[in-house]
Amino acid sequence: MIRNAFKTLLSPIHTFLKDSRAVGIILILCTVVSMILANSSWQEGYINFWNALFDPAGGHHYQYRALHLPNSYLLWINDGMMVLFFFLVGMEIKRELTVGELSSLRKSILPVLAAIGGMLFPALIFSLFNGGTEYAHGWGIPMATDIAFSLGILSLLGNRVPVSLKIFLMALAIIDDLGAILTIAIFYTPHLNLQYLLMAGGVLLIPIALNLLKVQRLILYFIPGVILWYFLFNSGVHATIAGVLLAFCVPQDKIADLVHGLHDPVNFIIMPVFALANTAIQLPSDILGALHNDISYGIIAGLVLGKPIGIFVLSFAAVKLRLASLPSKAGWLQLIGVGLIAGIGFTMSIFISSLAYVEREYQIISIISVIAASLLAGIAGFIFLRLLKPVSPIKKSK
């Protein structure tokens, strides 16, 4: 009886967690809760909890015996826990490139070109506002698309959006994530320690060799993976790149089980904690005044306008040049709607905000701008697609 009652109690929770919208809803709730706490009477204790340094003299590192490790809970989350997020993303990219929607040139050309347009145009628009200024380094912030949020919005539209368009957005967002990862690795590495970098390269050879030898025991990959993380953390390259590198070394036939096993911990523990920690910001008394800033203009215009324009322009060119065709049962207007929804940048955009600027003031403006832009893009995309009539399939002539 108790068991049945317990099952009845947990059943709605289990059903909710399996819903494709659950991740986005939980991230929104965490963001709202975090910003309320950060601007309440608990403000000082709450913000200090995430940001207080373990060793005030240690910069981004503190020394535990002979080890140099992250120096605050915020850094442990961004440099440590998020490695699992990037490991999951890396495996999904590998799976799509090998057996999924990106496994052949014909299937991949449209989402690849659309993703490139969706990264280039926001970066260019940001640079139009901030090129040559002290804010210029933030050009990577509006490049990202949040998979969880964007697919969650599409799922709210039900049958009004064809499955082919959802697959297109997912493939686009995966390529977008790969672009963001490369951007972080190449452009957001402030300094390099060549000794640690060389040691990281040496350790990386171990999982590569294991993969070539078709070794199946995952623990033999994870042990050098942890060492790889440590060396990259101390090399100056962002430590989360270790997750992506290791993901590409994991045996192909192990990926499905790993993705299934990591999906819930990453989406319902790590990402909510990331949202809580990174949105623990004290809002300026004049929020509109804070948004009256070139950083904000660049981020908001980049995500809300640059994303759909870039996706549409390169998709249009690909179709007209007969390099690709539109997703089945989808028209150009629906592609624009998906482009709008792709302007939801949240997780990766907030992550890059913490790397682009050292000044906390600029980070706060960036995070507020990302949240505002993501909200605008999500609402605009939802309304736009909701008002469109579904595209009827073209009847073949007899």
Side-chain angles (χ1 to χ4, degrees), residues 83 86-87 204 224-230 232-233 237-248:
V83 172
F86 280 85
F87 181 56
L204 180 60
V226 172
I227 300 171
L228 175 65
W229 170 84
Y230 177 77
L232 282 180
F233 174 73
V237 175
H238 203 272
T240 52
I241 302 300
V244 181
L245 294 174
L246 186 63
F248 276 82

Side-chain angles (χ1 to χ4, degrees), residues 105-164:
L105 183 62
R106 181 67 186 170
K107 288 195 291 185
S108 66
I109 192 69
L110 186 67
V112 166
L113 289 176
I116 291 171
M119 289 185 283
L120 286 178
F121 276 68
L124 289 171
I125 288 175
F126 184 92
S127 297
L128 287 176
F129 285 100
N130 297 281
T133 72
E134 58 185 319
Y135 312 136
H137 201 46
W139 57 268
I141 298 171
M143 288 174 60
T145 293
D146 191 288
I147 297 178
F149 272 122
S150 56
L151 290 177
I153 294 293
L154 279 191
S155 70
L156 292 172
L157 291 158
N159 295 331
R160 300 189 74 84
V161 176
V163 174
S164 62

Side-chain angles (χ1 to χ4, degrees), residues 47 51 74 277-282 354 357-367:
I47 294 176
N51 293 281
L74 180 65
N278 284 273
T279 58
I281 54 177
Q282 183 180 355
S354 68
Y357 300 119
V358 175
E359 299 85 351
R360 187 57 180 161
E361 177 189 353
Y362 297 168
Q363 291 178 359
I364 290 173
I365 292 172
S366 299
I367 292 169

